[in-house]
Amino acid sequence: MIIQEDCSLKPYNTFHLAARCRRMVMVEHPDEVLELADKGVFQSQFYILGGGSNVLFTQDFSGTIVHPAFVGIERVGEDKDSVQLRVAAGEEWADLLDYCLKNELYGLENLIGIPGLVGSAPVQNIGAYGVEVKDCIERVEGVLLDSREHFNFSNDHCRFGYRDSVFKHELKGKAFITFVTFRLAKESRYVLTYKALANELERRGWQPSLHNIASCITDVRNSKLPDITRIGCAGSFFKNPVVTREEYEELLGRVPDLVSYPAPDGRVKLAAGQLIEKAGWKGRRLGDAGVYDKQALVLVNYGDATPAEIVNVCRQVIWDVEDKFGVTLSPEVNIL
Ligand code: EPU
């Protein structure tokens, strides 16, 4: 493992905020998680940081940042329809997608372009363009930090929901994910339910194929989301809110073009981006922090924004949306 004291977090968060941490540990082998547990690292303040694409550091972190830096994609099973890949937590999501495209494995292609590491994907059940990662996850392995036991959870055990899993509830801060096993299909099984994707294929006159879908999604994403190498952000800052049917119908009376999707238990998911735009925030900037002008769900650091400026925009957006529509937005990003 590599240990650095008093380390800048600027290269490790896609908001490009200049926070520091007291200590950073790069875990180079999964067995080192137990060594760290033996040393008591998880008994005091710590945070497991993946690619830093879903975190907002509001201040210096006075504890230990633990970063999975072990990689590897292993084929661990195969039948006539599918292949199982066991992927290390430190593998870049983009590299897994490359592997799938090169090896003609189907299932994750709609999730191309999402920044971050494989170990973070199950925590918030990353999703885009009609697919959630849970649709392809078979097992999640790791270490329970209190008991130091190894866990190997089935998909059901992870209790995945919209941007949600057991790792955000009972196991929040209590589990270190080491490997994720995916089951990927050998034959095509495209998900083309997302309108902008279907439209883009049609516009180009392309048939769906693994590579065509990946290319269209990459372009659709690039047209809506900032390039994180140039503009600091953490993707969608807020979750799309889920409301009761009564709340939805009341709001629909006031906002006739309200975008909605069915959610579990008869509830309704709304598009936070639409509400933020209608509240007048799209493209608005307060200092160097603001709401992205092509996708209102994304808060951005246009240069030298301070964490306080980002938090200020976040608070004002929440207040305004609450005030105008009676809907409470919650951040998707982890605010530390
Ligand atoms: N909309 C607006 N104004 C905006 C943004 C969106 O009116 O500024 C409307 C759109 O017209 C559309 C609806 O809201 O009718 C949904 O917009 P979009 O398809 O862009 O997706 P989203 O719901 O805003 C979610 C994910 C994204 C993912 C896209 C595509 C969440 C929190 N976000 O955004 O995920 O890429 O769908 O599937 O669920 C991320 O999690 O970081 C992320 C980027």
Side-chain angles (χ1 to χ4, degrees):
M1 66 182 86
I2 301 171
I3 303 176
Q4 286 169 272
E5 305 291 333
D6 184 28
C7 176
S8 166
L9 291 168
K10 197 162 182 177
Y12 300 105
N13 75 97
T14 59
F15 256 120
H16 307 155
L17 294 171
R20 300 188 75 79
C21 66
R22 190 170 64 78
R23 183 191 295 147
M24 157 102 75
V25 180
M26 303 284 187
V27 180
E28 295 180 297
H29 190 281
D31 291 349
E32 291 171 358
V33 177
L34 283 179
E35 274 180 54
L36 289 172
D38 289 341
K39 285 189 177 129
V41 165
F42 302 115
Q43 245 84 61
S44 42
Q45 194 190 21
F46 72 95
Y47 184 71
I48 302 168
L49 181 71
S53 53
N54 201 40
V55 64
L56 173 66
F57 288 107
T58 56
Q59 55 190 337
D60 288 345
F61 189 75
S62 55
T64 304
I65 296 283
V66 186
H67 176 77
F70 47 96
V71 296
I73 300 176
E74 194 191 349
R75 250 177 209 245
V76 290
E78 184 162 356
D79 59 24
K80 74 177 195 341
D81 302 318
S82 64
V83 165
Q84 283 161 286
L85 296 182
R86 182 172 181 255
V87 187
E91 192 70 50
E92 289 281 347
W93 184 256
D95 292 341
L96 172 60
L97 262 290
D98 272 357
Y99 182 99
C100 293
L101 291 182
K102 283 200 189 97
N103 291 279
E104 296 276 323
L105 296 175
Y106 299 81
L108 297 177
E109 59 276 8
N110 291 33
L111 304 181
I112 194 162
I114 296 182
L117 304 185
V118 167
S120 318
V123 176
Q124 51 153 344
N125 183 23
I126 57 170
Y129 305 99
V131 171
E132 289 183 341
V133 73
K134 73 167 173 53
D135 305 335
C136 297
I137 287 182
E138 199 160 81
R139 304 204 75 89
V140 178
E141 286 168 71
V143 177
L144 295 172
L145 298 173
D146 289 342
S147 63
R148 299 174 199 194
E149 278 167 52
H150 180 255
F151 67 85
N152 188 351
F153 292 160
S154 66
N155 180 301
D156 275 354
H157 200 119
C158 295
R159 295 217 310 275
F160 290 119
Y162 167 63
R163 293 296 192 276
D164 205 16
S165 75
V166 71
F167 305 107
K168 289 179 87 170
H169 296 277
E170 292 97 294
L171 293 183
K172 190 174 173 157
K174 293 185 189 304
F176 191 110
I177 293 172
T178 50
F179 291 94
V180 182
T181 299
F182 299 88
R183 184 178 285 278
L184 301 167
K186 289 180 177 176
E187 297 288 330
S188 62
R189 51 156 208 200
Y190 306 119
V191 178
L192 301 171
T193 46
Y194 188 86
K195 242 199 314 181
L197 169 60
N199 291 348
E200 187 60 20
L201 279 168
E202 199 182 306
R203 194 183 67 76
R204 298 182 187 197
W206 286 4
Q207 289 303 313
S209 77
L210 199 54
H211 292 265
N212 287 353
I213 288 178
S215 163
C216 286
I217 288 182
T218 303
D219 291 349
V220 171
R221 278 189 78 90
N222 290 344
S223 70
K224 290 188 185 175
L225 298 168
D227 170 1
I228 52 169
T229 59
R230 291 188 312 108
I231 300 180
C233 81
S236 299
F237 194 91
F238 301 101
K239 284 193 272 196
N240 282 331
V242 178
V243 298
T244 63
R245 178 145 291 275
E246 294 70 41
E247 287 167 326
Y248 161 70
E249 275 163 9
E250 189 276 324
L251 195 54
L252 187 62
R254 293 196 280 141
V255 184
D257 62 343
L258 189 66
V259 175
S260 66
Y261 317 91
D265 309 323
R267 287 153 67 92
V268 182
K269 186 157 82 176
L270 306 177
Q274 184 191 36
L275 300 178
I276 297 168
E277 179 172 350
K278 283 187 181 289
W281 276 93
K282 193 170 185 169
R284 234 169 110 180
R285 204 171 151 161
L286 301 177
D288 258 354
V291 175
Y292 193 51
D293 58 357
K294 299 194 186 82
Q295 163 56 289
L297 204 46
V298 176
L299 301 192
V300 288
N301 170 7
Y302 281 106
D304 289 319
T306 60
E309 281 178 311
I310 310 256
V311 169
N312 180 34
V313 173
C314 162
R315 287 210 180 111
Q316 295 209 36
V317 165
I318 293 176
W319 285 332
D320 248 11
V321 168
E322 172 101 51
D323 184 49
K324 294 198 167 77
F325 304 109
V327 174
T328 310
L329 297 182
S330 357
E332 189 201 350
V333 165
N334 294 315
I335 300 178
L336 292 184

